Amino acid sequence: MDITVEYASRNSVVETSVQERVIGAPYILTPNDVPIDRAQWKDFIYNKVRDFGFIIFRDFDINDAHHFQRFLQNDLSIKTWNVFNKMKVAGPIITFVRRITDGILGAGDNRSYLNSELQQLGRIDNSVQGPHVEGGVYNKRARYLFMYCEEAPATWGETGIADLNSVYKSLSPETQVALQDAWQQFEFTSVKRLNWLERAILVAGRIKHYLRPDEHMQMVMDRIPVLCRHPDNGLLCPQIWAYRGDSVYAAASKTFPERKPLDKECMASTWRLEWKLTQHNGNPISNKFALMDELINATFENSRLVRWQPGDITIVDNIRCAHWRMNGYADQPRKIYQLQAEPFLATDCIVELPN
Ligand SMILES: [Fe+2]
């Protein structure tokens, strides 16, 4: 066998698959594509997101993260709301609280808050993050995500996005049926005994918790439907929150072979996390890990990549789409900021089962 030919063809396949995933037209909108009247931009944006699930604003004159926030809140009149700071406490305080809760969980993504709403996302490394809807362990979470790129890495460091309805349609028929009556609940166990300040933060944050016999704290998240029917278009969208580090690593290595060797996401292996999956009546779903792994694989298979340029704003429908951080180089600059907007309840989007 001529290994030169074999090698060349394999590389071209990899390169083609990567390029096809990079998001381009018609998802990218420039100043030439939007209405002249800025008062129409908010409806224009939400209509586009309704059609596509996500869009990228490119080449708009947004100078920095604070300008990005003013652009959304003042120019577009978008009502921001942050699932991780429901009480809207000041940036330095919520950053401090976030570090404390990261310590409780033994994990964290090092995001910091410039103010009560505006977050700088965590650092990049050579791991692919588990795909998730933002705040996916909570019933009340944000309907839209806005991410702004102040500095883009030269290589990789994209944001992955997957249309969860496409993901759902690609699942096996058995899994599709199982998800229609699947309810999930995440529980975290603290990695240490908590002091008074750490306990006070759980109380202030209204996180349900109780003291275990081993004196570690058990934190109980909301019981929520796995599958949501999209309120705009009725599409079925599994609300993935992929915590299984080994599965994410294996699926990412398989789907993005050009990125190998990847590292495993460190936080996924350090936190103590239990995932309960039952039918609505409480009956357990026995093959839950196989189901989650199928969901992770399908999400990566359906992925598109935001190859960031400075000034980009990516707008994501947080019901319709999952997102995650791709791998990159820790020594390359990457400054991505996030705002969230318009809370909704997942339990308002449940799938009505036939009698
Ligand atoms: Fe996220």
Side-chain angles (χ1 to χ4, degrees), residues 185-205:
Q185 187 170 32
F186 292 89
E187 291 195 15
F188 297 88
T189 305
S190 68
V191 294
K192 58 182 183 179
R193 296 176 187 177
L194 303 192
N195 60 34
W196 67 268
L197 175 61
E198 291 161 337
R199 292 182 186 217
I201 283 173
L202 294 183
V203 172

Side-chain angles (χ1 to χ4, degrees), residues 130-146:
H132 58 281
V133 293
E134 198 75 355
V137 300
Y138 299 105
N139 187 29
K140 186 176 182 179
R141 49 188 189 250
R143 180 66 206 283
Y144 299 100
L145 306 179
F146 298 79

Side-chain angles (χ1 to χ4, degrees), residues 85-122:
N85 190 15
K86 299 184 183 90
M87 293 162 70
K88 294 181 179 286
V89 300
I93 296 173
I94 190 64
T95 301
F96 172 73
V97 167
R98 185 88 190 193
R99 295 292 174 271
I100 298 280
T101 53
D102 287 350
I104 293 171
L105 301 175
D109 60 7
N110 289 298
R111 67 177 68 197
S112 52
Y113 287 72
L114 277 65
N115 51 52
S116 64
E117 302 274 358
L118 184 62
Q119 310 160 71
Q120 181 175 357
L121 298 182

Side-chain angles (χ1 to χ4, degrees), residues 321-352:
C321 295
H323 69 278
W324 63 93
R325 187 204 61 245
M326 290 293 293
N327 72 309
Y329 295 97
D331 59 354
Q332 290 188 6
R334 183 185 190 267
K335 284 189 181 173
I336 309 290
Y337 297 85
Q338 186 200 68
L339 287 166
Q340 306 170 14
E342 305 202 12
F344 78 102
L345 297 176
T347 44
D348 285 346
C349 305
I350 58 173
V351 177
E352 298 290 345

